[in-house]
C-alpha cells in the first residue's frame, strides 16, 4: 500500500494510535473498562457486555492483532510482551471452556490468527500454531461434509459466511497456503463454495444455491419478514464473502475446478440485483424468494458499510474483476464507491467510528480501493473520512472513541475494545494509513 496522507493527518493519527494501544495493553484493565457498570447493551435479547474472550470481534484475539502490528513498527518498545499477555489470557480461557467452533471470528482459527499476528513473521509461537492447525485438521472434515450435505435444502448462513463460516476460515488458510494440510483443506472449502454457487430447485423455481430457508434464518425478525427464505447480499453474512474468497484464492494461485465459473456466476447475480438511485449503483441487504421469482426487490435496505451495503459488495466485485481480468466488473465497483460519496452523508446509515457498520470500515475500504485503482477522487474522499475520524476522538471517553449504537429511543455511546466494533479496529486502520506497507490483518474482513 502507499502512504499518501497529509503530514498533519499522519502526526495526529500516530499520536492517537499510541494512546489507544497504551489503553489496550493490559488485559485486566481492558476487561474492567469494557465490563464497567452502565456499559451493558440490550438489543432485544437481554443485557450483555461487548467482550468475549475468544472472539476476534471483541476479545483477546482482536487486541493480539493490534499488538502484533505495534511490535512490527515499534520493536524497541514492549508491545510483543503486551501481546503475549493477551495471548496467554486467551489460552487460559480456552483451557477452561474449550473451543465452541472452528471459526475465524470466534473459534480455533480466531486463536490461530491471534498467534500468527504475534509471531514476528513466523519466528514465534510455531508450536502453538501447529497444535491449533492439527486440531483444526482433525475436526473440519466431518463438519465440511455436513455443510456439503446441507447444500440441497438445508443451507445455513453460518456455514458459509465470513464471521462464523467456511469463508472466514478459508481466508486464514490462504495465509497459510504453504502448509500442505491447510492448503488441502482450503481447496476443499473452495470446492464447497463452487457447489454453493450452483443453482438448485426451491419451491418449483431454479434459484442460486445460497438460498437460506426460513427455518435457518438467524433472526426471528428475518423469519417473519422472509417466510420462504432469502438470499443475503451483505459481505459479512452473504454471498459477497464467498465471492471475495474465491477471487482472492485465484489471485494467490489456489484454484479448483469450476472456481472461475463460480466467480463469474456470483458476480453476474450481484450485478443483476444492482439498484440505481440518483447518485449511482447500490445493493440492498437481502432478496426474498418471492422477489427473486418476480425479478424485483421487494424491500430496499441500504447503508454505506462493510457488513451490509455497497462498499462491501462493490469490493467483492472489484476483486472478482481482478481475478477474471474483467474491466467491466472493476468499473462497476469504482462507480459504486464514487456514488457513495455523492450521496448526502445523512442517508449513509452509518454513525459510529467503528469498522463493521461504521465510518472506519468505509475508510479502510476506500483506502484499499484508492491504492488499487489510483482514482484520485477516492483519495480525496478517504482523506475527508480521516479528518472525520479524528474529529470523533473524545478525550473523556474511556477508550477515546465510542461505538455509537442505535437504540429504540435515540443512540447509545458504548465502550468497545475490539476489532469489529471497537478501538482495536480503529488503531489498526490508523497503522495502515500512516505506514507504507501492505498489511494482512484486514484480510479477516475479506477485502484483501
Amino acid at each position: 500500500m502507499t502512504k499518501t496522507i497529509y503530514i498533519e493527518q499522519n502526526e495526529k493519527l500516530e499520536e492517537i494510535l499510541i494512546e489507544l494501544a497504551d489503553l489496550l495493553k493490559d488485559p485486566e484493565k481492558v476487561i474492567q473498562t469494557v465490563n464497567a457498570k452502565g456499559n451493558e447493551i440490550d438489543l432485544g435479547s437481554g443485557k450483555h457486555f461487548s467482550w468475549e474472550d475468544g472472539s476476534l470481534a471483541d476479545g483477546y484475539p482482536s487486541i493480539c492483532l493490534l499488538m502484533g502490528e505495534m511490535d512490527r513498527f515499534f520493536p524497541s518498545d514492549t508491545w510483543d510482551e503486551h501481546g503475549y499477555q493477551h495471548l496467554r489470557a486467551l489460552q487460559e480461557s480456552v483451557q477452561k471452556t474449550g473451543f465452541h467452533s472452528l471459526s475465524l471470528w470466534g473459534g480455533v482459527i480466531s486463536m490461530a490468527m491471534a498467534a500468527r499476528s504475534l509471531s514476528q513473521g513466523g519466528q514465534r509461537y510455531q508450536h502453538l500454531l501447529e497444535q491449533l492447525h492439527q486440531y483444526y485438521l482433525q475436526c473440519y472434515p466431518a463438519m465440511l461434509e455436513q455443510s456439503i450435505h446441507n447444500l440441497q435444502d438445508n443451507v445455513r448462513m453460518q456455514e458459509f459466511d465470513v464471521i462464523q463460516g467456511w469463508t472466514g476460515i478459508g481466508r486464514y488458510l490462504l495465509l497459510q497456503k504453504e502448509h500442505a494440510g491447510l492448503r488441502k483443506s482450503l481447496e476443499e472449502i473452495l470446492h464447497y463454495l463452487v457447489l454453493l454457487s450452483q443453482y438448485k430447485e426451491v419451491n418449483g423455481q431454479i434459484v442460486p444455491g445460497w438460498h437460506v430457508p426460513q427455518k435457518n434464518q438467524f433472526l426471528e425478525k428475518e423469519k417473519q419478514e422472509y417466510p420462504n427464505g432469502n438470499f443475503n447480499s451483505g459481505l459479512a453474512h452473504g454471498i459477497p464473502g464467498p465471492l471475495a474468497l474465491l477471487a482472492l484464492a485465484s489471485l494467490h494461485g489456489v484454484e479448483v475446478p469450476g472456481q472461475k465459473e463460480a466467480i463469474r456466476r456470483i458476480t453476474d447475480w450481484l450485478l443483476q440485483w444492482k439498484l440505481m438511485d440518483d447518485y449511482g449503483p447500490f445493493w440492498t441487504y437481502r432478496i426474498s424468494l418471492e422477489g427473486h421469482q418476480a425479478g424485483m426487490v421487494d424491500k430496499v435496505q441500504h447503508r454505506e458499510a462493510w457488513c451490509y451495503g455497497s462498499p462491501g459488495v462493490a469490493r467483492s466485485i472489484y476483486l472478482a474483476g481482478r481475478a477474471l481480468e474483467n474491466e467491466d466488473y472493476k468499473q462497476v465497483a469504482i462507480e459504486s464507491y464514487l456514488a457513495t460519496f455523492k450521496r448526502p452523508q445523512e442517508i449513509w446509515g452509518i454513525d459510529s467510528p467503528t469498522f463493521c457498520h461504521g465510518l472506519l470500515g468505509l475508510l479502510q475500504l476506500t483506502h484499499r480501493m484508492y491504492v488499487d485503482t489510483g482514482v484520485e477522487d477516492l483519495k480525496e474522499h478517504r482523506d475527508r473520512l480521516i479528518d472525520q475520524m479524528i474529529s470523533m476522538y473524545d478525550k473523556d471517553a474511556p477508550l477515546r472513541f465510542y461505538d455509537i449504537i442505535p437504540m429504540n429511543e435515540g443512540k447509545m455511546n458504548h465502550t468497545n475494545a475490539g476489532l469489529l466494533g471497537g478501538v482495536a479496529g480503529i488503531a489498526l486502520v490508523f497503522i495502515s494509513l500512516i505506514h507504507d506497507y501492505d498489511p494482512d490483518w484486514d484480510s479477516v474482513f475479506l477485502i484483501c
Side-chain angles (χ1 to χ4, degrees):
M1 298 175 80
T2 306
K3 183 177 72 175
T4 53
I5 64 175
Y6 297 116
I7 294 175
E8 295 82 359
Q9 287 180 324
N10 191 312
E11 292 174 350
K12 187 61 179 178
L13 291 179
E14 184 160 340
E15 177 186 330
I16 296 173
L17 164 64
I18 297 297
E19 183 178 12
L20 296 182
D22 191 62
L23 289 168
L24 294 175
K25 67 185 182 183
D26 186 319
E28 291 185 9
K29 288 183 179 179
V30 169
I31 293 177
Q32 289 172 5
T33 301
V34 175
N35 291 348
K37 185 177 180 181
N39 197 45
E40 305 96 327
I41 56 175
D42 187 351
L43 300 178
S45 57
K47 290 186 177 182
H48 67 279
F49 294 103
S50 292
W51 181 267
E52 184 179 346
D53 288 354
S55 172
L56 185 60
D58 49 22
Y60 295 118
S62 63
I63 302 179
C64 288
L65 261 64
L66 173 59
M67 295 301 154
E69 295 299 288
M70 293 298 291
D71 181 49
R72 181 202 295 252
F73 293 107
F74 305 96
S76 61
D77 297 331
T78 56
W79 299 111
D80 59 332
E81 296 177 18
H82 300 308
Y84 168 72
Q85 295 301 322
H86 281 274
L87 185 61
R88 186 175 70 175
L90 173 60
Q91 288 179 280
E92 291 173 354
S93 177
V94 169
Q95 288 170 356
K96 293 177 182 177
T97 65
F99 289 112
H100 303 298
S101 75
L102 298 181
S103 76
L104 171 62
W105 283 85
V108 177
I109 299 302
S110 181
M111 186 171 181
M113 188 70 192
R116 182 183 187 278
S117 299
L118 292 167
S119 70
Q120 296 183 340
Q123 299 180 58
R124 305 174 65 184
Y125 302 120
Q126 292 307 293
H127 179 65
L128 171 61
L129 277 166
E130 190 56 26
Q131 285 183 311
L132 293 168
H133 293 162
Q134 290 305 318
Y135 182 86
Y136 165 80
L137 290 171
Q138 292 170 16
C139 296
Y140 91 88
M143 298 176 67
L144 185 57
E145 182 179 356
Q146 182 62 51
S147 294
I148 293 173
H149 177 76
N150 290 341
L151 284 173
Q152 185 52 43
D153 57 8
N154 199 30
V155 171
R156 290 172 169 81
M157 177 192 76
Q158 304 96 301
E159 291 180 316
F160 67 79
D161 77 353
V162 171
I163 302 298
Q164 300 180 69
W166 296 110
T167 293
I169 292 170
R171 187 61 188 92
Y172 172 80
L173 301 182
L174 187 56
L175 295 173
Q176 301 281 0
K177 66 178 181 177
E178 304 307 320
H179 186 294
L182 298 182
R183 184 179 180 118
K184 176 177 180 292
S185 176
L186 171 60
E187 291 172 350
E188 292 175 4
I189 289 171
L190 295 173
H191 173 67
Y192 161 74
L193 295 179
V194 169
L195 295 177
L196 177 73
S197 78
Q198 295 174 354
Y199 280 60
K200 64 184 180 183
E201 183 175 328
V202 175
N203 293 353
Q205 61 172 300
I206 303 301
V207 301
W210 58 91
H211 170 263
V212 175
Q214 182 197 38
K215 64 180 180 179
N216 289 340
Q217 292 176 94
F218 192 62
L219 302 173
E220 286 302 320
K221 181 181 178 182
E222 286 181 33
K223 292 179 180 179
Q224 296 172 13
E225 293 178 349
Y226 302 96
N228 291 305
N230 74 82
F231 306 87
N232 192 304
S233 54
L235 178 55
H237 297 297
I239 199 59
L243 172 61
L245 178 60
L246 289 163
L248 287 164
S250 181
L251 289 167
H252 285 274
V254 183
E255 290 195 1
V256 298
Q259 186 165 325
K260 280 192 164 61
E261 291 82 357
I263 294 170
R264 185 172 293 106
R265 188 158 49 241
I266 297 170
T267 305
D268 288 345
W269 183 89
L270 287 169
L271 294 178
Q272 174 189 346
W273 292 99
K274 177 187 69 177
L275 300 173
M276 296 290 292
D277 62 11
D278 292 339
Y279 310 101
F282 71 99
W283 283 264
T284 189
Y285 294 0
R286 301 174 185 85
I287 309 296
S288 69
L289 184 64
E290 296 85 356
H292 197 278
Q293 185 175 22
M296 60 182 293
V297 175
D298 47 13
K299 184 172 184 178
V300 178
Q301 298 171 290
H302 179 252
R303 62 184 173 200
E304 305 291 352
W306 166 76
C307 54
Y308 282 100
S310 301
V313 177
R315 180 62 181 176
S316 72
I317 291 173
Y318 182 81
L319 293 172
R322 286 181 55 196
L324 298 182
E325 299 182 345
N326 186 312
E327 294 301 318
D328 290 339
Y329 289 172
K330 290 193 279 187
Q331 188 58 39
V332 169
I334 293 169
E335 289 172 1
S336 174
Y337 273 83
L338 295 176
T340 288
F341 295 103
K342 292 175 184 176
R343 291 187 185 95
Q345 188 165 342
E346 55 265 26
I347 66 170
W348 281 4
I350 54 175
D351 301 301
S352 184
T354 51
F355 204 107
C356 179
H357 49 268
L359 288 170
L360 188 74
L362 178 58
L363 169 56
Q364 184 68 2
L365 282 158
T366 304
H367 182 49
R368 279 282 183 187
M369 288 295 289
Y370 166 62
V371 170
D372 287 351
T373 66
V375 174
E376 284 299 312
D377 283 353
L378 294 178
K379 177 183 182 298
E380 294 178 13
H381 298 311
R382 180 206 63 185
D383 291 345
R384 280 196 289 272
L385 287 172
I386 292 172
D387 287 338
Q388 191 167 353
M389 284 294 303
I390 292 172
S391 74
M392 299 181 83
Y393 170 90
D394 183 346
K395 64 180 179 60
D396 296 322
L399 295 177
R400 304 304 183 260
F401 289 87
Y402 286 113
D403 183 17
I404 302 172
I405 302 176
M407 308 295 287
N408 292 331
E409 297 181 4
K411 298 173 183 177
M412 174 185 179
N413 286 342
H414 180 67
T415 298
N416 188 314
L419 176 61
L420 205 59
V423 297
I426 294 173
L428 282 162
V429 170
F430 286 5
I431 290 177
S432 297
L433 292 168
I434 63 181
H435 290 285
D436 188 12
Y437 81 120
D438 189 20
D440 62 25
W441 66 263
D442 60 345
S443 65
V444 301
F445 293 99
L446 272 291
I447 64 176
C448 66

